[in-house]
Amino acid sequence: MEYNFNEIEKKWQRFWAENRTFGAENRSPKPKYYILDMFPYPSGAGLHVGHPLGYIASDIYARYKRLKGFNVLHPMGYDAYGLPAEQYAIQTGQHPAKTTEQNINRYREQLDKLGLSFDWDREVRTCDPRYYKWTQWTFIQLFKHYYDNNAQKAMPISKLVETFEKEGNANVNAACDEKTPQFTAAEWSNFSEKERQEILMHYRIAYLSDSMVNWCAGLGTVLANDEVVNGVSVRGGYPVERKLMRQWSLRVTAYAERLLKGLDEVEWSESLKEIQRNWIGRSEGASVFFPIEGDNRSFEIFTTRPDTIFGVTFMVLCPEHEMIAEITTSEQKAEVEAYVTWAKNRSERERQAEVKKVSGVFTGAFAVNPLTKERIPIWVSDYVLAGYGTGAIMAVPAHDSRDFAFARHFNLPIIQVVVPDGEQPEDTDTWSESKDSKSGTCINSDFINGMPVKKAITAVIDRLVEMGIGQRKINYRLRDAIFSRQRYWGEPFPVYYKDGIPYIMDESELPLMLPEVESYLPTSTGEPPLARAKDWTYKGCPIDYNTMPGFAGSNGYYLRYMDPHNDKEYFSAEAAGYWQCVDLYVGGIEHATGHLLYSRFWNKFLHDIGKSCVEEPFRRLVNQGMIQGRSNFVYRIKGSNKYVSLHLKDNYETDPIHVDINIVDNDVLDLEKFRQWRPEFADAEFILEDGRYICGYEIEKMSKSMFNVQNPDDIVEKYGADTLRMYEMFLGPIEQSKPWDTKGIEGVSRFLKKCWKLYHNADNNFCVSDEEPTAEELKILHRTIKKVSEDIEKMAYNTSVSTFMICVNELTDLKCGKRKILEPLCILLSPFAPHICEELWQLLGHTESVTFATFPTWDEKYLAENNCNYAVSFNGKTRFVVSLPSDMPKEEVERQVLQMPDTQKWLQGNTPKKVIVVPRKIVNIVI
RNA sequence: GCCCGAGUGGCGGAAUUGGUAGACGCGUCGGUCUCAAAAACCGAUGAGGUUAAACUCGUGCCAGUUCGAUCCUGGCCUCGGGUACCA
């Protein structure tokens, strides 16, 4: 073998490990660059070819940046806490720590084979006590702080206590629970310890509360909103119900505005930013108080359309609304109570499935429209949600589709108050749907008649403020993150309970180690597995039995990489000051509303308390696409053990059967291997076409059950890591999802062989000449440098690979074996194919790794085109193209073109009326 | 329903963002070498048309702007993603 990749790759991987070639220094005169991959959850299945896509992409960038003179931090670790390890433990009794360790070792082995330039000295594992100590530490800080809306940042809770002691909480503007009571300084001083702690809990950023949670009985735990899709759990697909439980939450909503604003500062894809914006769901509107008829109280609603207040024909409360019992009339009481009970018992999935079904009940009570003084019936319906706004709405059926459906169903009046642009007022009885458009002119609306909607909104709010019954308000769809899980394999809470009051452990006693238990199941009384731990107490008090959710450990891992061995603090101020933030983050888009949001929140908080240096943790983010599987099929004739080739299958009645892609080559089935594959195929018969069995294919998710998993180890074994790296990049743009297809890999493999030959003579001896390169050779080199540099910056690696191929083909044609061309080319290629380039670099006579070389720069003088193409058009129709010097003046171009025989031919004897010359582009002749 | 994004040969994908569409790779066909095969190398390859050329049509569809549109504008179709009683 001429190019022995197996030997070369092993040699250099060992060299890099022994020499710590990719170690990053926390002090360096070089500029810093931090490149991060989303660390993997080490599952039992190992890596398939889809996983390394992002790792290879970031590795190329990391190697490129090193060559560009940057001190590059490129770490890797493991998100090691999680459900699969625990479920495996429940089934087999094996400790999750053990299986996790095994999986990590397997992952490491696979990653090492790819030649990724990670600084493994900085590895972190979220389940390591030396790591989760700091997850617990951050939780303690979250507990000890509250969010001050005036300062727009987190402040120590002790400051809040000072204010309470001085003046109570009347003037405190902080993020807190809706139900926080008001009190004076005197009342505060008279409160018991328990009462004080309860009040403070309303303000803490990490707080304990009875909240409606997503309870998943199948998993035996609660889940965060982003872990639930369509009423079932993302993991496992078990049904989820709403349940009131005492849980830890993080007050993420306090940061809603900053999370939204921060998106404008980062270089992320527009689609990802949109996903986060929608998830945060900011909407501007007004809160309005509607008095209750015959009662001196009123209730608050939220609306984004205060301009439609003259079209309100009824009000709706959510079934959980606390005023229902108080306002319902005695005649309606039974009916209302029955409805409320029914609505509360309905599962989340039922409710979501029956969204179109209208239900509700009249309370018998009336509200008064504060502007018209009209009486408006108050209804209860579950189309109004408890968790958003105030759980009560003013219904404008003419201009809201949900209110419209409700009004039609219960025969309530519909009044048009907005006429969309270009329309006339209509009889609402004839409508089949409401007119929800936010542009139009107001009618039937007293003082805002004739105003456009936008102006009317402001006018109504101004009036409501004047009357003291409303104000401008901004609402968010974002909810606080539920932070407890009733699971074993996670970080324990550093919290103990004394007299039923939760207290935080002393920071000096961290980490609070995860205790051993005999079984990983919940206890018979339904308590989390940690309740099984023996002698697990703190100062004689019980410790919280919950653990933190999967996303806890990944929130701040990028910060720990900056200073991973620090046992005094999370990370030093010096390390954070040097590395600042992640410059380039590469990972999957599936974390858009989970990790990427929580992590930003976590960082903002750490920034507020002076730990993290910057507000936004991830400056540039690239989402690599998914690699899908390409499944192969054989077609079995019904009721037989006979298999028919793809293009003949329509002549028979067949069943498609998944077949292992490892016994198929370019869609051609290996008949022998197929017979050996499974006993039932041992005596299979075939109907062939052209002597071969052709399999069908389909693009599906890569999964074991579809026998379409491509293991990277096999590819590395057969073609080498450099080929795999380049091929994965050549497949298409990084951000795009695409099917894995081994067909094209031969092309890349050939390219690397050609590359090797460029540096070797016919006898496979290394051979470069010291001859001076020709102008043509220099042009090829500099064109390549330019294109590759620009493409790497954009991470358009697929075109870089093409550029290399063209370059090597051209140099091969010229038989160019000149050092002055091949040396820079070797550096240029090394981020993509590091092993072969290290070998060539050594053969070129260098003793240091190519990692420490300098990336070549291009010189325009070798690129200047002497000629450029002009398209020659007649009356706008381009007829031919001519090549003229690019610096030729317009007048000369015009003169020369007009003299050309082709021009004369197309003029057909006519005289040109006008000639337009667009420099370097076109000559248009008008006849 | 609402909000994003994308539609280019047999396939993956290029195109200096308004200037010769289809780079590069795969596949296919033909050839060189060989007893043969593999490997390697050379040539052809959007469609129609012709002995060959000329020429015509071609970037989801329909219009528009322009001397000129894969690129800009408007409308539609299809696919992918997000979200879903959020008032």
Side-chain angles (χ1 to χ4, degrees), chain A residues 1 3-10 715-723 749 753 835:
Chain A
M1 192 187 284
Y3 156 46
N4 189 341
F5 49 82
N6 275 322
E7 210 170 276
I8 291 171
E9 289 176 3
K10 272 197 204 93
I715 305 281
V716 169
E717 183 64 32
K718 194 168 171 195
Y719 297 100
D722 285 337
T723 302
S749 171
K753 283 182 200 158
H835 308 89

Side-chain angles (χ1 to χ4, degrees), chain A residues 277-308:
Chain A
R277 284 191 191 110
N278 290 340
W279 189 261
I280 295 167
R282 181 184 199 271
S283 57
E284 279 181 48
S287 82
V288 187
F289 282 93
F290 277 70
I292 295 163
E293 190 190 49
D295 198 315
N296 51 10
R297 285 173 307 175
S298 57
F299 62 90
E300 190 185 3
I301 61 104
F302 173 74
T303 179
T304 55
R305 297 292 302 273
D307 58 306
T308 61

